[in-house]
Each structure stands twice: as structure tokens, then as C-alpha cells.
Amino acid sequence: LWIQVLERLQLQLSRPTFETWIKTAIAEQLDDNCLVIRTPNPFARNWLQKYYIKTIAEVVQEVMGHPIDIHITITQGDDASENPEMFWPLPSHENVTEPSPPDSAAANNGARSALNSKYVFSRLVVGANNRMAHAASLAVAESPGREFNPLFLCGGVGLGKTHLMQAIGHYRLEICPSSRIVYVSTEQFTNDLITAIRKDSRQSFQERYRAVDVLLVDDIQFIEGKEYTQEEFFHTFNTLHETGKQVVLASDRPPNQIPRLQERLCSRFSMGLIADIQPPDLETRMAILQKKAEYENMRLPRDVIEYIASSYTNNIRELEGALIRAVAYISISGLPMTVENITPVLNPPVEKVEASPEAVILAIAETFDVSVEDLKGSSRRREISVARQIGMYLMRHHTDLSLPKIGEEFGGKDHTTVMYSCDKISQLKESDPSMAQTLRQLGDRINHTSQMRK
Ligand code: ADP
Ligand code: MG
């Protein structure tokens, strides 16, 4: 019967899908009421469960003549099930290359980190904040060089860009082990280029970077102002793009906000998909901690998870760091894991710095190059009214002023105008990554000046 099921599934699913997910699975039990499918690892299980269970159920029903329960389990009993990482290509996987060093001097010249074995899709929690970036990354791994080329991942520090990028690499290799995948930081790309020029080996540099199936370049914002690197990268990009190879870039801001980036590169970077990653909401942060705890075999009370999750809001790396510190402290001190006991090792959550209304207005005026009078005036010129709306939004977030008071600060505007502005900017913040970025920068700036004055 299972053979029949397989045959039918094979007809329904694409070959790579079938080969990757179905063929590696074993029917452990199949009777009148129940089918148990055993998969080689947790990721395969989740994958089947999530995307193919319906298809499998339909096919089984066809074969059996009636619906039956389907359970998907993972192979038990060997070490591997304890340690899901084992299923993934380790950093030394031969295809996961940093481009091989042009000479031995460069090889000694610091670590060439390959893919981190922890940065796989199965370890990534998907929330509203990264759903699109995650979906696009999966799509790219499944069919590189097609829809989203380049894929441009952008988001603040510690929000999972590197993780997603490397997950693409891992998963691509899983699907197609012969893929040539290069993961490189922008800094390393630059260093390799410099070395190549010095050694007069530009050709081998070009061969190295252009003979890949998927090129993953991290922290591309650092290419800013490096004219020569930009020139070279432009050609690398074009060669890959023209031959249908996939390029994935990660940056802390969208292309149009990278200063001193050549226009032609900016437009290349924007021609695929720009997927932004926002800070995770509380529930997602809790899910991240939960998952992390599971991987580390730790059991944490819910209130502890909630407490840590609520103390760290916009950097997942810090969130994880806090968890690790808490666990280490508890295991050393021998105290029970409670909120009170871990408080000492968590950095106190950063308090919002109280800013003065003037500080907000000044920051806006300087950033947008408009005058304070204009901000307080009634001009409806677009750049002024946008700056004013952003100012109202920021004043709402950085001061305790009421809506009518904020209206006064902006030259006696009605409180409904303030409300409308705050609303509008909030929406833009959600929908437009560059707005989110601008707000973040302005927020930092206001916090910074207010802190100095304290
Ligand atoms: P970035 O490159 O954006 O600065 P990283 O990819 O280095 O961020 O992520 C920082 C840390 O947070 C990593 O340890 C990563 O595994 C973890 N992380 C980020 N996003 C998630 C997520 N959605 N689920 C689980 N862990 C995550
Ligand atoms: Mg990173």
C-alpha cells in the first residue's frame, strides 16, 4: 500500500520535493486506521507536517478508500535525535565554501567562517516581524535565481539577517548537495579584492566569485563609499544575475538609504525583492526563548520567559544572551529558576530617555533640513508636512505630552491633527522599511542628545 501511496505522491509533487521529503521517509505502520511516517530529522517532520500533510492525506484516502489518521514521527534512539544539529551540514561541509583563499598569506589572515550549523530554518521562529523575509528565503532556497533575484534582506542589528541568509545556504545544500554556495561578509569581499589586486590575481578572484550558484553577501551596507569594491561587485552581480544565479544580500537598511552607494548598484539591489525584518513582538520573543530553551534542554517557567522577553525588545542576540546568562547564573548559584533570582544578571531594561519637545523639534529640523518656523507654521509643502507629522509622532513617543500639548508645540495645531499624524506615521512605519529606519535613526538621535543633557 505504501508503495502505491508513494507512486501517487510522486506524480503529484515536484521531483525535488519528492526526493527530499518523501523518499527519505519510511512508513512505519500502515493499517486500516492509521499511518505512521518516520522521517530522518525534526526539520523533515515539521516540513511534511506543515506543507505536505494534506496532499499525503488525500492520496492515502484515495488508496485506502477512506480517510485515516496520519502521524509523522522522527527516527528515535540514536544520538542524532538528541541533537538536531547533527543533521545539518557542519561548517566544514565541503561545498560550503568561503571562496578559497587566493594564497596562504590570506589564509592565515583571520578566520574564514563558513556557515554556522545553528543557522538553519528549523531553528528560526517565524512571526509577523519576519514572515515575508522567511517565505522569500525559503523560495530562494528552493528555486534560486527565479523570482526574487536579488533577495535583499534588511533589518536592524540582531534581528536574524545572517541567520536567514545562512539558512538559505544550508537548505539549498540539503536540496541540492552539489550547489556551489558562497557566504561572505562585505568586509571579506573587499579584503579578498584588495589581496587579489596586490597579488595581481584579479582573474582568479573573479573566477571564484562568479562561479557560484548562490552568492550570499552579508552586511552589504559596509560597501558604502568603497568605490573600487562597488565597481567590482557591480560586475560580479551582473555576471551572476545574467546567468540566472542567485544573489542574496543583507543590510541594516534599505538600498536607497545606504549613503555613498552608486546609483546603478542601488537600482540593482532594488530590482528583486526587498524583504524587511522588524523587531519581534512579545509573543514571538517568547517563542524564540522557548525554542532556544528546548534546544538547550532547559525547562523554564513561563513567567521567567515572559520576564526576559519583555525586558529585551529589539535585538534577538541580546535576548538570547540574557537567557544564557540567566541559566548560567541559576546553575552556578543553585537557586531555583524564578524571576527574582535572575533579575541581578539581566541588564536592566533600557529606560526610555525622557526628551524635551525642543530636542525633538531640533532633531527633525536638522534631519529634514527644514526650519523650526516651518515646522511650527502651516505650510503644506510636502517635505514640511511629512517632517511635521514625523515630529508629532516622535514627540508622542519620546515625551509625556498629551495630544493637545503636542499640538501647541507645533504652533497650535488641533489635537486631531496630531492624532492623525501619529496614526499615519505608525502605518507607514509598518509598511515602509525606509520610514521605520528613519524613525529608528531619529529616535536614537533624540535619545542620544537627551542622554547627554542629563
Ligand atoms: P543580524 O545578522 O540581523 O544581526 P543574526 O542573524 O546574527 O542577526 O541573529 C542574532 C541571533 O538571533 C542569532 O543567534 C540568531 O540565531 C537569533 N535569531 C534571530 N532571529 C531569530 C528567530 N526568528 N528565531 C530564532 N532565533 C533567531
Ligand atoms: Mg548579521
Side-chain angles (χ1 to χ4, degrees):
L1 283 173
W2 179 239
I3 305 280
Q4 282 183 36
V5 172
L6 285 182
E7 278 170 1
R8 294 191 183 209
L9 278 174
Q10 193 160 15
L11 296 177
Q12 296 216 356
L13 302 171
S14 73
R15 210 171 64 91
T17 302
F18 184 81
E19 299 271 322
T20 312
W21 304 115
I22 311 289
K23 239 180 130 179
T24 56
I26 300 167
E28 194 158 57
Q29 182 195 338
L30 175 59
D31 56 35
D32 238 19
N33 320 308
C34 177
L35 164 65
V36 179
I37 300 174
R38 190 148 55 83
T39 57
N41 61 55
F43 191 58
R45 179 196 53 195
N46 294 344
W47 198 261
L48 284 179
Q49 188 81 50
K50 217 166 161 180
Y51 296 103
Y52 299 115
I53 189 106
K54 252 186 75 192
T55 316
I56 298 174
E58 285 165 5
V59 169
V60 169
Q61 182 169 354
E62 272 173 40
V63 174
M64 305 285 293
H66 61 91
I68 64 172
D69 288 347
I70 298 179
H71 299 281
I72 303 180
T73 65
I74 46 179
T75 304
Q76 294 293 336
D78 48 24
D79 283 348
S81 63
E82 305 275 300
N83 181 2
E85 269 175 54
M86 286 188 58
F87 296 108
W88 295 93
L90 294 170
S92 58
H93 194 293
E94 54 187 285
N95 288 315
V96 185
T97 55
E98 291 285 321
S100 52
D103 58 33
S104 57
N108 300 331
N109 194 7
R112 290 167 170 275
S113 55
L115 298 184
N116 181 328
S117 62
K118 288 186 181 173
Y119 290 168
V120 291
F121 280 122
S122 55
R123 283 185 169 233
L124 202 83
V125 173
V126 183
N129 61 308
N130 65 354
R131 182 156 289 128
M132 180 165 91
H134 174 262
S137 300
L138 274 181
V140 158
E142 288 188 335
S143 39
R146 299 270 181 76
E147 279 162 280
F148 310 127
N149 203 10
L151 172 61
F152 194 100
L153 300 169
C154 86
V157 178
L159 293 184
K161 302 181 297 292
T162 299
H163 190 138
L164 257 183
M165 248 189 162
Q166 297 205 3
I168 295 175
H170 281 298
Y171 184 35
R172 185 63 203 156
L173 281 171
E174 194 76 358
I175 299 172
C176 174
S178 62
S179 292
R180 288 159 304 173
I181 297 188
V182 167
Y183 168 84
V184 71
S185 67
T186 298
E187 199 181 2
Q188 195 190 318
F189 183 88
T190 303
N191 289 343
D192 284 356
L193 179 60
I194 292 169
T195 308
I197 294 166
R198 209 179 52 219
K199 303 278 171 194
D200 208 13
S201 58
R202 266 192 72 188
Q203 192 168 350
S204 68
F205 171 90
Q206 292 176 347
E207 281 161 12
R208 234 175 315 123
Y209 278 103
R210 296 178 191 185
V212 303
D213 298 311
V214 180
L215 178 62
L216 310 161
V217 185
D218 210 344
D219 290 318
I220 194 71
Q221 75 271 9
F222 291 135
I223 206 168
E224 108 174 63
K226 295 177 180 148
E227 286 300 322
Y228 203 79
T229 307
Q230 292 193 17
E231 174 79 26
E232 188 60 41
F233 190 70
F234 178 73
H235 295 297
T236 305
F237 182 97
N238 286 343
T239 306
L240 293 174
H241 198 266
E242 278 158 17
T243 50
K245 307 300 186 191
Q246 179 71 44
V247 178
V248 181
L249 306 164
S251 163
D252 67 354
R253 65 198 83 165
N256 61 4
Q257 289 190 16
I258 301 176
R260 293 182 294 156
L261 177 67
Q262 292 171 9
E263 180 50 41
R264 55 184 189 163
L265 269 180
C266 182
S267 75
R268 294 287 185 294
F269 290 177
S270 315
M271 67 198 253
L273 177 74
I274 300 178
D276 79 313
I277 307 177
Q278 294 290 324
D281 59 18
L282 179 64
E283 268 169 28
T284 309
R285 297 200 298 277
M286 288 176 62
I288 290 171
L289 290 175
Q290 194 81 53
K291 185 158 214 160
K292 180 96 182 155
E294 277 163 23
Y295 271 108
E296 308 288 339
N297 261 327
M298 300 181 293
R299 206 149 281 173
L300 296 176
R302 193 186 153 83
D303 61 339
V304 166
I305 293 213
E306 196 170 302
Y307 178 66
I308 301 177
S310 57
S311 307
Y312 295 84
T313 54
N314 46 31
N315 183 330
I316 297 172
R317 191 175 297 117
E318 286 175 3
L319 183 71
E320 290 182 338
L323 174 70
I324 290 164
R325 274 202 308 285
V327 169
Y329 180 68
I330 291 301
S331 78
I332 293 167
S333 66
L335 296 167
M337 177 61 96
T338 63
V339 168
E340 293 75 55
N341 289 341
I342 61 170
T343 315
V345 290
L346 298 192
N347 296 332
V350 220
E351 52 177 307
K352 196 168 80 180
V353 194
E354 211 43 60
S356 66
E358 292 78 30
V360 176
I361 297 229
L362 271 180
I364 297 285
E366 282 172 14
T367 304
F368 294 99
D369 200 19
V370 296
S371 69
V372 173
E373 294 78 59
D374 277 341
L375 285 176
K376 300 196 172 192
S378 53
S379 163
R380 288 177 173 275
R381 255 171 50 217
R382 199 178 139 66
E383 63 269 30
I384 294 172
S385 68
V386 171
R388 195 184 291 131
Q389 288 175 338
I390 293 179
M392 291 176 175
Y393 171 93
L394 287 171
M395 207 174 279
R396 182 90 179 130
H397 283 78
H398 285 269
T399 71
D400 280 337
L401 298 190
S402 62
L403 294 173
K405 279 260 154 43
I406 293 176
E408 280 172 32
E409 290 295 333
F410 283 89
K413 304 283 186 304
D414 193 71
H415 78 276
T416 52
T417 308
V418 179
M419 204 164 67
Y420 168 81
S421 302
C422 293
D423 231 43
K424 174 149 180 230
I425 299 300
S426 289
Q427 281 170 16
L428 278 175
K429 184 182 170 200
E430 296 304 315
S431 61
D432 175 359
S434 67
M435 175 60 82
Q437 176 72 22
T438 305
L439 290 175
R440 207 156 36 217
Q441 283 169 348
L442 274 163
D444 285 350
R445 178 170 182 164
I446 292 167
N447 274 340
H448 190 68
T449 46
S450 307
Q451 197 118 50
M452 307 253 287
R453 218 171 291 161
K454 259 194 166 173

